[in-house]
Amino acid sequence: MLFLKLFLLFSLCSLTFSHDADFNPHLLPRPLIIQPEDIETQYEKFDDELNLHCTSWRFSVEANNLSPWKTIPEECLGYVKEYMIGRGYKLDLERVSSEAGVYAKNLELSGDGKDVWIFDIDETLLSNLPYYIEHGYGLEIFDPIEFDKWVQKGMAPAIEPSLKLYENILDLGFKVFLLTGRNEKLKSITIENLTKAGFRRWDKLILRDSEQHGKLAVVFKSEKRGEMVEEGYRIVGNSGDQWSDLLGADPSRRSFKLPNPMYYIP
């Protein structure tokens, strides 16, 4: 941002010294007078335009209109950072969890133990924001090796609105299935991290095994939902931060998309 402001100032100075085509070389140049309020107004207009641009980009991401994409726009780094560590992200998480809770409370369960709510893990139950703070909030190309190193630490905190929803879902009598794209080799540390973060009960934890390596997330998760349906389960709720958590075959009766402008998983 500082570079852009300096560039704008330099451009204004250049225009000031070059607008007179017929100048007298024997006369001293006129003093440059820049009104501070004019410069500040132009800075503010530029900042407003950039903010609108990045807000539009984030809206398109959440609406799944930009798929696929690899990194956040470089010019939106400050915007994404402010959103993720500020009130905006927290309010959006609270809104999603609140709406999911209202839906769940108004459902009449069958009583046969076959009504299932699916939760994704990363950026749905557990937050990897500490990792992404160190990796540009999604500005860097995703590195699975570095990310797995972070996962192995087992330090991801709970997403508090999701924890509240999770506990309500269990109390209402739903079966809870955790369906994640994490590799099976991360199962023990995933269980440890979930437990430490407050997620102490679930009915199934489903991870990728070696046979599913390389499959698109939407294919892998669709297949697993299909297996649930074949076993007689009814998928009445599904919470995830990626569209690939929610779309595909055998979708939930109703799905809830959590915000995530940092990365996209097909």
Side-chain angles (χ1 to χ4, degrees):
M1 186 65 69
L2 177 60
F3 172 79
L4 291 172
K5 291 184 175 181
L6 289 173
F7 176 78
L8 177 60
L9 181 59
F10 178 79
S11 300
L12 290 171
C13 292
S14 299
L15 287 172
T16 303
F17 283 114
S18 63
H19 80 289
D20 286 336
D22 301 322
F23 70 95
N24 188 335
H26 299 290
L27 296 177
L28 291 174
R30 291 173 299 174
L32 174 62
I33 300 176
I34 300 177
Q35 298 296 331
E37 62 272 16
D38 294 338
I39 297 298
E40 288 301 320
T41 298
Q42 293 182 57
Y43 288 163
E44 290 172 3
K45 288 181 179 179
F46 176 82
D47 289 343
D48 289 344
E49 187 66 25
L50 181 60
N51 188 66
L52 287 172
H53 163 73
C54 293
T55 300
S56 176
W57 172 82
R58 184 171 66 85
F59 170 81
S60 296
V61 163
E62 299 300 353
N64 202 31
N65 291 331
L66 292 184
S67 59
W69 54 278
K70 292 184 178 181
T71 65
I72 67 172
E74 185 173 358
E75 66 272 18
C76 294
L77 172 58
Y79 173 90
V80 174
K81 175 182 177 180
E82 182 177 350
Y83 171 74
M84 292 301 301
I85 65 176
R87 282 289 291 155
Y89 180 55
K90 294 176 183 178
L91 286 172
D92 287 346
L93 290 172
E94 290 169 1
R95 173 79 65 177
V96 175
S97 293
S98 175
E99 291 301 317
V102 170
Y103 164 73
K105 288 177 183 177
N106 286 292
L107 282 175
E108 185 174 344
L109 301 187
S110 62
D112 61 1
K114 293 291 186 177
D115 295 306
V116 171
W117 196 292
I118 299 174
F119 286 94
D120 172 53
I121 293 180
D122 293 301
E123 268 58 66
T124 299
L125 298 182
L126 297 178
S127 172
N128 298 301
L129 185 55
Y131 171 84
Y132 283 98
I133 287 174
E134 299 298 322
H135 293 270
Y137 297 87
L139 188 60
E140 297 179 11
I141 294 289
F142 179 72
D143 186 333
I145 296 176
E146 287 299 311
F147 182 73
D148 281 358
K149 290 179 181 178
W150 154 255
V151 172
Q152 289 284 8
K153 296 178 181 179
M155 296 171 57
I159 293 177
E160 291 299 331
S162 293
L163 178 56
K164 181 178 179 181
L165 171 66
Y166 185 94
E167 291 173 341
N168 290 339
I169 292 296
L170 285 170
D171 290 342
L172 287 168
F174 291 89
K175 283 283 190 300
V176 167
F177 290 174
L178 309 185
L179 179 54
T180 175
R182 290 187 177 193
N183 194 288
E184 185 75 25
K185 68 182 181 181
L186 299 170
K187 184 174 183 177
S188 61
I189 192 62
T190 297
I191 292 173
E192 179 183 328
N193 196 162
L194 284 166
T195 304
K196 187 190 304 182
F199 302 96
R200 296 185 173 86
R201 292 186 293 146
W202 54 81
D203 296 281
K204 286 188 180 183
L205 171 59
I206 305 168
L207 303 94
R208 284 183 189 256
D209 60 29
S210 56
E211 294 180 1
Q212 280 107 27
H213 180 71
K215 284 185 180 178
L216 293 176
V218 68
V219 174
F220 164 67
K221 296 201 171 186
S222 291
E223 290 177 352
K224 292 304 176 183
R225 289 197 301 269
E227 292 174 9
M228 296 174 197
V229 172
E230 288 177 4
E231 293 171 7
Y233 291 106
R234 291 175 294 275
I235 306 172
V236 294
N238 189 3
S239 297
D241 68 293
Q242 298 291 317
W243 282 102
S244 54
D245 298 330
L246 313 174
L247 300 178
D250 297 300
S252 170
R253 186 180 302 176
R254 185 168 175 188
S255 297
F256 295 88
K257 169 73 169 65
L258 282 76
N260 184 358
M262 297 187 297
Y263 61 84
Y264 170 86
I265 298 177

